[in-house]
Amino acid sequence: MRHFTQEYDRVFVDIDDTLVYGLITKIMHKTWHMFHDSLLSYLLMCIQQKFKLYRVNRKLIQMLKPLRADKTIFLTVRSYCPATEKMIKDIMGSAFRVIALGSDNGALDKAMTMEAHLTGDAHKVLLIDDNEANRETAEMFGFSTFD
């Protein structure tokens, strides 16, 4: 397998339905749209991590393993929860940076967050995301994307 991710200075990776997927992820998505309840969302994230109620995208893991931890950033529209960071550590085997936006406008917020992380050493940026709107917005900002 060709490791095209190594060509990029920063790789931003979505969590829900990209890195992990399954029934609890769908439940989290539905309950957020129905109730907009932060406490319920927090509780579901904790339950997901505690009981490992997720399936992992193994192909994505193989693409990310050769990258340094400072090069990969997990970018999610979830609100902040320490359980999310623990879940990433369980999956990846070490701690990675997680940016939890807690946003309802994920496409624009993700693109603006990626733009804010452009520094002197980060010129080529990649977004790995399952959401078409997120990818299209990131492309409008001049970033590479991958589904």
Side-chain angles (χ1 to χ4, degrees):
M1 173 190 284
R2 188 175 147 231
H3 296 289
F4 73 94
T5 54
Q6 293 176 345
E7 299 173 11
Y8 293 92
D9 300 318
R10 293 275 185 285
V11 178
F12 290 89
V13 183
D14 178 47
I15 296 174
D16 294 320
D17 294 325
T18 303
L19 178 68
V20 296
Y21 60 96
L23 180 62
I24 192 78
T25 304
K26 290 178 180 160
I27 291 171
M28 288 167 45
H29 183 72
K30 294 265 189 214
T31 56
W32 179 254
H33 285 290
M34 289 173 59
F35 305 115
H36 273 74
D37 186 345
S38 297
L39 182 60
L40 178 59
S41 179
Y42 187 90
L43 180 63
L44 288 171
M45 286 186 279
C46 290
I47 290 169
Q48 180 187 37
Q49 184 272 326
K50 180 74 173 174
F51 298 106
K52 298 185 187 299
L53 298 176
Y54 52 83
R55 297 186 67 166
V56 178
N57 183 339
R58 297 287 173 201
K59 289 181 183 179
L60 180 59
I61 298 297
Q62 285 183 330
M63 289 171 40
L64 297 176
K65 282 286 185 178
L67 299 177
R68 295 187 333 257
D70 64 332
K71 194 173 178 178
T72 305
I73 300 172
F74 289 92
L75 182 61
T76 183
V77 294
R78 291 179 174 202
S79 59
Y80 174 76
C81 180
T84 302
E85 292 176 342
K86 290 177 186 175
M87 180 179 69
I88 298 296
K89 187 175 181 180
D90 288 345
I91 292 169
M92 297 297 294
S94 62
F96 280 78
R97 185 164 180 208
V98 176
I99 299 175
L101 299 172
S103 169
D104 282 328
N105 187 11
L108 184 59
D109 289 345
K110 280 186 177 186
M112 291 177 68
T113 301
M114 290 168 57
E115 188 172 62
H117 280 80
L118 289 177
T119 60
D121 65 334
H123 301 290
K124 290 183 73 176
V125 177
L126 173 68
L127 172 65
I128 301 174
D129 200 314
D130 68 302
N131 188 300
E132 187 175 350
N134 294 347
R135 291 191 314 271
E136 287 176 358
T137 305
E139 287 172 1
M140 288 190 321
F141 274 71
F143 302 115
S144 299
T145 62
F146 184 73
D147 183 3

